[in-house]
Amino acid sequence: MKVPFLDLRAPYLELEEELDAAYRRVMGSGWYVLGREVEAFEEEFAAYCEAEHCVGVANGLDALHLILRACGIGEGDEVIVPSNTYIATWLAVSYAGATPVPVEPDEGTYNLDPELIEAAITPRTRAVIAVHLYGQPAEMDAINEVAGRHGLKVIEDAAQAHGARYKGRRAGSLGDAAGFSFYPGKNLGAFGDGGAVVTDDAELADRVRVLRNYGSRVKYHNEVKGFNSRLDELQAALLRVKLAKLDEWNARRQTVAARYLEALGEESDLTLPSVPGWAEPVWHLFVVRLPEREALQRHLADMGIGTLVHYPVPPHLSEAYAGEGWLPEDFPVAEALAGDVLSLPMGPHLEPEAAELVAGIVVGSAAAAR
């Protein structure tokens, strides 16, 4: 049996009739940018996230970048970011002209450690970006408490956490604003790029709407130096179809994760995901840690099983930030994770029996390595 890391064709096959109808509706409308489909999706996704406002943008990176711009964060400012995240979190800060200040993750959850934030705050700090990594929410009450004492904005990077809950509340409603990505592989994925800003702050949402559209509310009347970052009508229409299935698909992911946790629970060489009692993750990724990751990854590939590494190079050691002076061992937790994490197949169309097969091969490979 071949097991792909993620089956991107299966969602279309499941929803083919509805998706094709949405496509035809948009193509027949003659209106393809910032129209009724985007407006309807923004209303529906805001309601789903239990927030007041949603602004569709071109991608998840732009969502974070435009939030920072809308908050007035720029040159000379600092923004606290996790040392362990996809580089887009850092790039959003850099695009705004500010400086990313890395803080190490909690070693149990791999999310930003609230206890380390205060030591990183300086008079130039303006915000904290909390990433809900792998689909599990960060410890938001503690992060908000520290930020509140220092007058900092709290921004959720919820690119991997569509539908996740923290103490019963949805990701996207846990800070001042949240940035979502609808990259095809996400829990709520478009058929191309897409993103959104979600917030309860009407003024912030209004500023993002202006910034995404060349700095303009009225065509050819430009209030500020804005950007071209608009979720298009076709992607919005397709996302509306998939949004109606999101909770069901997330539940399927939870079933797969439960099978993995049960089947892998006795394997001493693996570190399995740790889920706090207050977290309801949506299992965007199922990530294990183990020494000799490469050997297991090769063995799984030989057996027809797809895996990925999220992420092999921490941002501070990437070429993109080589000029910032970061050195190996500056952020040892992030570096350790980069060296031994492995993402197993995960998705709403992965059969639980396939997950058990994968787990069996992982266990057998680990035993053979001993």
Side-chain angles (χ1 to χ4, degrees), residues 49-50 137 163-171 173-174 277-280:
C49 294
E50 302 169 358
R165 289 190 181 275
Y166 170 81
K167 297 183 179 179
R169 294 174 287 153
R170 289 273 199 201
S173 66
L174 305 172
W278 41 256
E280 296 177 43

Side-chain angles (χ1 to χ4, degrees), residues 90-91 145 177 231 278 352:
W90 289 41
L91 291 175
E145 191 278 327
L231 179 66
W278 41 256

Side-chain angles (χ1 to χ4, degrees), residues 2 11 17 20 33 57 64 67 101 117 168 202 234 275 310 332 345 349-350:
K2 290 189 178 298
E17 184 175 340
D20 286 356
V33 177
V57 297
L64 294 174
I67 291 169
V101 176
I117 292 174
L234 182 57
V275 180
H310 297 86
H349 298 90
L350 177 66

Side-chain angles (χ1 to χ4, degrees), residues 289-335:
R289 295 182 66 185
L290 72 161
E292 306 298 329
R293 170 186 69 201
E294 288 75 13
L296 175 59
Q297 189 171 32
R298 285 193 301 270
H299 180 62
L300 289 170
D302 291 341
M303 300 293 289
I305 295 169
T307 61
L308 289 174
V309 174
H310 297 86
Y311 301 97
V313 181
H316 72 281
L317 296 181
S318 68
E319 291 184 43
Y321 286 94
E324 302 300 317
W326 302 116
L327 298 172
E329 299 186 9
D330 279 346
F331 299 97
V333 178
E335 291 170 37

Side-chain angles (χ1 to χ4, degrees), residues 1-7 260 299-307 345 349-351 353-355 357-358 361:
M1 178 188 294
K2 290 189 178 298
V3 181
F5 176 73
L6 175 65
D7 187 346
Y260 274 143
H299 180 62
L300 289 170
D302 291 341
M303 300 293 289
I305 295 169
T307 61
H349 298 90
L350 177 66
E351 294 294 336
E353 293 76 17
L357 171 69
V358 173
I361 296 172

Side-chain angles (χ1 to χ4, degrees), residues 83-164:
S83 60
N84 179 52
T85 184
Y86 183 53
I87 198 171
T89 313
W90 289 41
L91 291 175
V93 177
S94 298
Y95 286 176
T99 300
V101 176
V103 167
E104 290 271 66
D106 173 86
E107 291 198 64
T109 65
Y110 312 152
N111 277 324
L112 186 65
D113 188 339
E115 295 186 4
L116 303 180
I117 292 174
E118 196 141 24
I121 295 173
T122 76
R124 296 167 58 188
T125 308
R126 296 285 308 282
V128 179
I129 299 182
V131 179
H132 304 317
L133 198 65
Y134 309 151
Q136 177 160 290
E139 224 295 34
M140 294 303 296
D141 282 354
I143 292 170
N144 280 316
E145 191 278 327
V146 176
R149 283 193 282 107
H150 292 272
L152 308 179
K153 295 289 186 182
V154 175
I155 299 165
E156 298 172 73
D157 182 341
Q160 301 180 1
H162 313 74

Side-chain angles (χ1 to χ4, degrees), residues 3 49 148 150 152 155 167 179 188 206 213 227 241 249 268 272 275 277 282 335 350 352 355 362 368:
V3 181
C49 294
H150 292 272
L152 308 179
I155 299 165
K167 297 183 179 179
L188 179 61
D206 183 64
N213 192 36
F227 304 87
V241 174
W249 285 354
S268 60
L272 299 180
V275 180
V282 290
E335 291 170 37
L350 177 66
V362 170

